[in-house]
Amino acid sequence: MKRASFLIFAICLLAVIFFTKFFIIKTNFPLNRFFSTQKSLYDENLSLKKQNQELKAQIFKFHQAVDYKLIASSTSVWLRQYQYETAKVLSSYPFNTKNALIVNLGTVDNVKKMMPVVISENVLIGEVEEVFDRYSVVKTIFDPSFQLPIRIGESEIDGFLTGGDRIKISLVEKEKEIKIGDVVYSASKDFPYGLKIGEINEINDSTNGNFKEAFISPSFNLNELRDVYLILSNGK
């Protein structure tokens, strides 16, 4: 009986020793080290990707700041010849309309009707239509009632602009050569000469009579405007 008990004890002891060694060996098996290395590389790759995205975001912000400074600089140089005020475009969301903007300057800021409204690089937005004490309504070039004598391209070809969803140039003499991409700019006595309005993107030569017409793409995105400049006097 004692001998049988001793044998059972010995077998159990051997089993414990065997399986303990087995698990120790298993934890040191090269395959585990391989998977451990792969996980480490994966984690490192994720970390590098994250750092790369952060650097790209910083570079993007840097370029935005540089571009903004360049635009602001060119704007201030051009506007220096005029008396002007900087106005904030007030939000009418979700009832935004392309025909009009509301800005935060009014009669207390010496704003008057028909004053030109521009953005950077002497781009024409429209003109002041109504003035109140603390704000004004600006009629944009998208309003169908907006009309303006203009000139086209380096040859300074005369034409007449009519606003709307599709901004149209009419009364262009058929023998005058205009082309896609020509810049259209103001030539009215009421505005500073040479305010950019847009570029020709379509020409219609098939109109009756002695004139042809064209359509333009504006030089700005109305929904992105936050600051505009009201020209108080025509300067030179």
Side-chain angles (χ1 to χ4, degrees):
M1 184 69 180
K2 289 183 178 180
R3 186 173 181 179
S5 299
F6 175 76
L7 287 173
I8 292 172
F9 173 77
I11 291 170
C12 291
L13 181 61
L14 288 172
V16 170
I17 293 170
F18 173 79
F19 283 109
T20 301
K21 286 183 177 180
F22 173 78
F23 284 116
I24 291 172
I25 292 170
K26 188 176 179 181
T27 57
N28 293 322
F29 192 67
L31 189 60
N32 282 350
R33 289 201 299 272
F34 170 78
F35 284 118
S36 177
T37 302
Q38 291 300 308
K39 185 178 184 305
S40 177
L41 289 173
Y42 176 77
D43 291 342
E44 185 178 354
N45 188 41
L46 283 179
S47 177
L48 288 172
K49 283 183 178 179
K50 183 179 179 182
Q51 292 177 27
N52 187 41
Q53 291 298 324
E54 290 174 351
L55 286 171
K56 284 183 178 179
Q58 291 176 13
I59 291 171
F60 178 74
K61 288 180 180 179
F62 172 77
H63 283 305
Q64 275 191 321
V66 171
D67 290 343
Y68 176 79
K69 287 180 180 178
L70 288 174
I71 290 172
S73 176
S74 64
T75 300
S76 62
V77 168
W78 179 80
L79 282 173
R80 200 172 293 160
Q81 59 188 311
Y82 305 105
Q83 292 181 358
Y84 70 95
E85 289 289 345
T86 304
K88 278 287 183 185
V89 177
L90 302 179
S91 175
S92 55
Y93 182 84
F95 306 107
N96 292 340
T97 172
K98 294 175 67 175
N99 294 5
L101 294 175
I102 300 176
V103 297
N104 68 339
L105 299 181
T107 53
V108 297
D109 308 290
N110 298 319
V111 176
K112 297 178 182 178
K113 289 184 178 182
M114 298 185 67
M115 283 182 173
V117 182
V118 301
I119 56 171
S120 62
E121 300 172 356
N122 64 310
V123 174
L124 179 66
I125 300 297
E127 64 181 1
V128 176
E129 183 177 36
E130 294 184 78
V131 186
F132 301 89
D133 287 346
R134 299 290 178 180
Y135 69 93
S136 300
V137 178
V138 176
K139 180 198 295 184
T140 73
I141 61 174
F142 296 102
D143 192 295
S145 67
F146 187 90
Q147 296 182 324
L148 186 72
I150 54 89
R151 290 209 166 114
I152 305 167
E154 295 180 359
S155 300
E156 300 185 2
I157 297 169
D158 287 318
F160 191 77
L161 179 145
T162 302
D165 287 334
R166 298 187 71 202
I167 302 169
K168 184 172 73 173
I169 305 297
S170 59
L171 301 178
V172 179
E173 294 179 11
K174 278 197 173 180
E175 66 270 16
K176 300 293 185 180
E177 183 180 351
I178 60 175
K179 60 185 184 297
I180 303 297
D182 277 348
V183 174
V184 175
Y185 52 90
S186 64
S188 169
K189 64 180 177 58
D190 298 318
F191 288 174
Y193 184 85
L195 294 177
K196 183 178 179 181
I197 303 171
E199 297 179 0
I200 290 180
N201 62 5
E202 182 182 335
I203 300 171
N204 182 7
D205 287 314
S206 62
T207 55
N208 296 325
N210 299 320
F211 299 100
K212 56 186 171 183
E213 63 184 23
F215 296 89
I216 72 170
S217 56
S219 301
F220 59 92
N221 185 337
L222 201 65
N223 293 328
E224 295 178 357
L225 296 183
R226 296 296 179 268
D227 298 282
V228 295
Y229 305 100
L230 276 62
I231 298 179
L232 307 181
S233 74
N234 281 357
K236 298 177 182 178

